[in-house]
Structure formats: structure tokens, C-alpha cells
Amino acid sequence: MESIIIIVFIVGYLAITLEHNLKLDKLIPALIMMAVCWAIVALGVDSFSNWFDSANHGLVDGFASMVHDDKLHLVEETLLHHLGKTAEILVFLLGAMTIVEIIDYFDGFSTIKSYVNFKSKKKLLWMFCGLAFVLSAIIDNLTATIVLISILQKIVSSRDDRIWFAGLIIIAANAGGAFSPIGDVTTTMLWIGDKVSTSMLFTYLFLPSLLCMVIPTFIASFLPSFKGEIDYEENLEEKPNSKFSGRMLLIGLGAIVFVPVFKTVTHLPPYVGMMLSLAIVATCAEIYSRRKFSLTDFNTMDESREHASHSPVHSSLSKIEMPSILFFLGILMAVAALESLGILFNFAASLKESIPLMGTELAGTKVSDLVVVLLGIGSAIIDNVPLVAASLGVFSAPLDDPLWHFIAFSAGTGGSMLIIGSAAGVVAMGMEKIDFFWYLKKIAWLAFIGFIVGSISFMLLRQII
């Protein structure tokens, strides 16, 4: 039965990685993989000899000798446990996505465009990479990429120039997301799972992440593609909701930054703070939206209904990327099935024994740095979300162990080496129609250099800390 589940998982993974070839949205194989894996677990529960207790991070004693009904009850409890942990991540992401959409509803990000008053490609490169690095740490790398490429499309008219900027934005956004607990889905998973804290994440990863962004940008600034000047449009059409754009940008970003503070003070899960932040931003959005209407606008029922249909909150919720949410649900719960059967636990033991190189101390043994580096390279080929989910089941290091910080950096930045290796890359690929092999030839080597430099700097910094 275990072999069947592994085969289902591998086939599902292949379908996800070949999404563009199969022309099948990756959420479909992810959800099928989740449902089939857990169905096999439930139907063949008596044939399994091991069961992993995720709450206690260890194998259940005497699982093989338990009666059938007790095993099914344990399966249900474990499924509920994993669903709860996954729901924490998904609710958190829903809140963050909605806040960003509310900011965009008021055209908040357009204020960034007003600072572009030069034509130098090199200056524009550093500006966009710097913004991608900072914004991704605040609003997550996926959203930062969407925002910056949207602004880029309004500034740079030549697509041949834009795809070069987009490639470096992907590297910078992924680097910036690695050192922030809300900057990348994988880092958020480690943060919500109590594997890393905000302060130590910044301490360990800010410098490696900065080098991961700066070195490729510095090298790229000497390439022919970033020499000369660009022509940009100075008169851009203003959205009808942009009267309060600057104010909503500050309120929205401030509310997202408030979430780690809320968690530190209350010790409640981050999604609680995110929901509070969403409520505050939504309240401000409704107030600012109503200021556009005079009192006479509410004299008739039809006009009142028209206003309600244009509510900034309703409009923003309708734009949420639900396919991504469902994909995360499917892939995280599928990995949970492998974890529950102890497959990842046993794989970890053999992995740590087979690669006994220098690395991070973990429960009396050492986890090779090579293993974590390979995880980063693997995240360029396979989605980094399931790889980090697997590492949560594989390793049992305590809070703020350097291992978790290295995994956060490796999985967060390694995906930049292929355009399909990260959410930022995938969304940029769709927005600018970037060819897979063009990116592999032109951008991948820059991302690889940044990844290696960042990894080496982390290893050196770890010794100092």
C-alpha cells in the first residue's frame, strides 16, 4: 500500500511540473493526489506498520497491533490535525491577498510609479530590484512581482527590455521573501509551524538574502541589455478610486507588518492577527469609498444597491487567486499523508546517514548542508511548497535551529533558477509570456550565482552566531 501511495504522489508531482505541457491547471492533480492518498490510507489502514504522530513528532508505539476501529479513529484525528495546520496557512494567505487587493482597488501602488523620473536602464534595474526585495518582505514575493511587473508594463514600452527586468525582479522578490515570515509561502509555513521566529529569521537570513539579490543585480547591470535609456509614458490614466491611494497603501502595508507584532505579543497563531488587520483595512476602505458618494446617493434603493455592489471589500474578495489556495490545500494534505505513514520519517533517517558531511547539528547527528542545498536546487524543478512541507515531517529540530533558517533560504531562493520554480516566476511568465528556455539561458545563471553566494554567506554567518 505504501508503494501505491508513493506512485500516486510521484505521478501527481509529474502532472504538476508538466502543467504547461498538459495544459492542466496544477490544482487539479494536487487535489486528486490529496484525495486518493488519504483514501488509500483509510482503506488499507490495517496493512501499515507505522503511523507518525505529527503533534508529538514521533512514531506511534504499537500501531500495528491496534484494532481496526482504533486505527481509523487515529487516522481521522491525524487528518483533522493536518487540516487545521493547513487551514492556518490558507486563512493567513487569504487575509494577506485581500488586503493587497484592497490597496490595489484604491490604486495604492501607483504612488511608487511617481518616483520614476529618470530614463537610465541601470538605475531602473536597481530601483525595481530594491523595491522587489523590500516589498516582497512586506506583502510576499508573489504579490510584489505582480505589482512591480504591472508598474513596469506602464513604464517600459519594449517587451524585449521588460522581460530582462522581470527576470531580475523574480530573483530579487524571492530573495526578499526569504528573510520575512510573511514574504514567502514556505517561510510562512515554517513560521506558523513554530520552526522559526521573526527576529532570528531576520538575523540569520537578511545578509544572505541581500547578497542573493545584490550580486546578480550588480552583474546584470554590466550586461548590454541594461545599458542606455528607456522611453516611458509620463501620463498614465488614473483609476477612479485613486483619491485615497497613498493613504490606503500606508494603512494596508502597516496592517500586514502589524501581524508579526501581534503574534509576538499575544502568542496567538498569525492568522488571527491577519484577520484583525484585514478587518481594520476593510473598515478604512469602506469609509473612504463612501466619502465619494453624497448623501443624496442613498435616497433610492437602486443607488444603494449599486454602491453595495461596488464595495471595495466585495470587489477585492472576488479577485482572490483561489486556484493557488486550492493548490496549496491539495499539495500540503498530500504530503501530510506521506508524513503520517512515517515514510518521510524513515527517509530522513536514511538521508542523514547516507550524506555524513558538515552541516547543522540535529538530535546528536548532523544534517548535511548539501542536503539543504539540494533541496533548494530541487525547488527550482519541483514546487518549493511540498519540499518544505516534507522537511517539516522529515526533521524534528527545535525552534530557531539554524537548519530551519537554511531551509527557508534555500527553498525560498533556489526556485529562482528556473522560471517555473517559484510562484513569482510562474506569475511573471504568465504576465510577460516569458519563454522557459529564454529564462534558462539568460537569467538562470545569475540566479544560481546569487543562490550559491547567499548559501556560503549563511554558512559563515551561522558559525559567527
Side-chain angles (χ1 to χ4, degrees):
M1 282 292 189
E2 289 184 1
S3 300
I4 296 176
I5 290 180
I6 293 175
I7 292 172
V8 170
F9 192 80
I10 292 174
V11 172
Y13 248 113
L14 287 174
I16 291 170
T17 56
L18 297 174
E19 173 189 16
H20 298 287
N21 302 84
L22 298 175
K23 301 187 185 304
L24 186 70
D25 196 298
K26 62 183 178 181
L27 77 89
I28 297 174
L31 293 176
I32 292 174
M33 185 167 55
M34 173 197 74
V36 172
C37 283
W38 280 103
I40 295 173
V41 168
L43 295 174
V45 66
D46 291 325
S47 64
F48 301 121
S49 57
N50 293 323
W51 191 261
F52 188 80
D53 186 356
S54 300
N56 298 316
H57 299 287
L59 296 175
V60 176
D61 294 330
F63 176 77
S65 60
M66 293 173 62
V67 298
H68 179 76
D69 289 343
D70 289 342
K71 288 182 178 180
L72 284 179
H73 180 68
L74 186 58
V75 169
E76 291 177 2
E77 287 186 343
T78 305
L79 181 60
L80 186 61
H81 169 80
H82 285 296
L83 180 60
K85 290 298 180 182
T86 301
E88 287 187 11
I89 297 173
L90 301 186
V91 171
F92 179 91
L93 290 175
L94 282 171
M97 288 178 177
T98 306
I99 290 176
V100 170
E101 290 295 342
I102 290 175
I103 295 174
D104 186 61
Y105 178 88
F106 288 91
D107 204 22
F109 296 108
S110 66
T111 56
I112 298 174
K113 178 204 68 65
S114 62
Y115 292 97
V116 182
N117 55 4
F118 48 82
K119 296 185 178 182
S120 170
K121 289 183 180 180
K122 186 179 294 187
K123 287 184 179 180
L124 197 65
L125 170 66
W126 281 102
M127 175 187 169
F128 272 100
C129 287
L131 284 173
F133 185 79
V134 174
L135 281 178
S136 63
I138 301 174
I139 62 174
D140 81 61
N141 51 7
L142 173 63
T143 307
T145 302
I146 295 172
V147 170
L148 291 177
I149 291 183
S150 297
I151 296 173
L152 188 68
Q153 288 173 339
K154 298 176 182 179
I155 297 174
V156 182
S157 58
S158 172
R159 178 183 172 276
D160 292 337
D161 289 334
R162 285 203 310 269
I163 58 177
W164 275 97
F165 283 103
L168 272 297
I169 286 174
I170 293 169
I171 296 175
N174 286 334
F179 74 90
S180 168
I182 56 177
D184 185 88
V185 175
T186 53
T187 312
T188 301
M189 289 166 58
L190 293 169
W191 181 50
I192 292 178
D194 288 327
K195 301 302 181 184
V196 297
S197 65
T198 303
S199 59
M200 292 307 294
L201 190 67
F202 181 87
T203 302
Y204 271 109
L205 296 189
F206 178 76
L207 180 59
S209 298
L210 183 64
L211 290 174
C212 185
M213 181 275 291
V214 169
I215 298 301
T217 306
F218 177 77
I219 296 173
S221 64
F222 292 97
L223 297 178
S225 299
F226 293 103
K227 292 181 179 180
E229 297 182 344
I230 53 105
D231 294 324
Y232 62 89
E233 301 177 13
E234 296 185 5
N235 298 320
L236 299 179
E237 183 180 353
E238 185 180 18
K239 284 187 177 181
N241 301 314
S242 60
K243 182 180 178 181
F244 304 100
S245 58
R247 198 176 301 176
M248 283 306 304
L249 177 65
L250 292 177
I251 292 173
L253 297 184
I256 295 176
V257 173
F258 167 74
V259 175
V261 178
F262 181 87
K263 179 183 184 296
T264 302
V265 173
T266 64
H267 302 288
L268 289 171
Y271 72 89
V272 180
M274 184 57 77
M275 291 298 102
L276 175 60
S277 293
L278 173 58
I280 293 172
V281 173
T283 301
C284 294
E286 291 290 346
I287 292 173
Y288 293 150
S289 179
R290 288 173 184 173
R291 285 185 182 181
K292 296 184 301 177
F293 295 86
S294 63
L295 292 175
T296 57
D297 290 330
F298 297 95
N299 290 335
T300 64
M301 182 64 68
D302 290 339
E303 289 175 337
S304 178
R305 285 175 179 172
E306 181 181 357
H307 170 65
S309 67
H310 290 83
S311 164
V313 178
H314 291 177
S315 176
S316 300
L317 284 170
S318 68
K319 296 179 181 178
I320 293 300
E321 190 66 25
M322 284 306 297
S324 296
I325 297 295
L326 291 175
F327 167 72
F328 293 142
L329 171 66
I331 199 68
L332 290 173
M333 292 301 292
V335 171
L338 296 182
E339 177 186 328
S340 300
L341 293 175
I343 296 173
L344 299 179
F345 184 84
N346 295 331
F347 175 73
S350 60
L351 189 64
K352 287 182 286 186
E353 292 175 1
S354 62
I355 313 181
L357 302 177
M358 267 187 80
T360 305
E361 284 287 344
L362 179 61
T365 63
K366 285 189 175 182
V367 177
S368 170
D369 286 333
L370 178 59
V371 172
V372 184
V373 170
L374 290 175
L375 183 146
I377 296 174
S379 69
I381 303 171
I382 305 172
D383 195 275
N384 56 2
V385 171
L387 289 178
V388 173
S391 71
L392 290 171
V394 165
F395 305 116
S396 56
L399 174 69
D400 280 331
D401 189 285
L403 171 68
W404 298 121
H405 296 285
F406 198 10
I407 288 175
F409 173 82
S410 188
T413 62
S416 301
M417 286 181 274
L418 292 179
I419 196 167
I420 63 170
S422 66
V426 171
V427 73
M429 185 181 190
M431 293 180 72
E432 286 293 350
K433 309 301 180 187
I434 301 174
D435 182 71
F436 175 89
F437 293 102
W438 179 91
Y439 187 94
L440 181 64
K441 180 181 178 181
K442 304 292 186 180
I443 306 295
W445 66 279
L446 291 169
F448 178 75
I449 291 174
F451 173 72
I452 294 300
V453 171
S455 297
I456 293 173
S457 65
F458 173 85
M459 296 175 196
L460 296 175
L461 186 63
R462 180 182 59 195
Q463 299 301 323
I464 299 173
I465 296 177

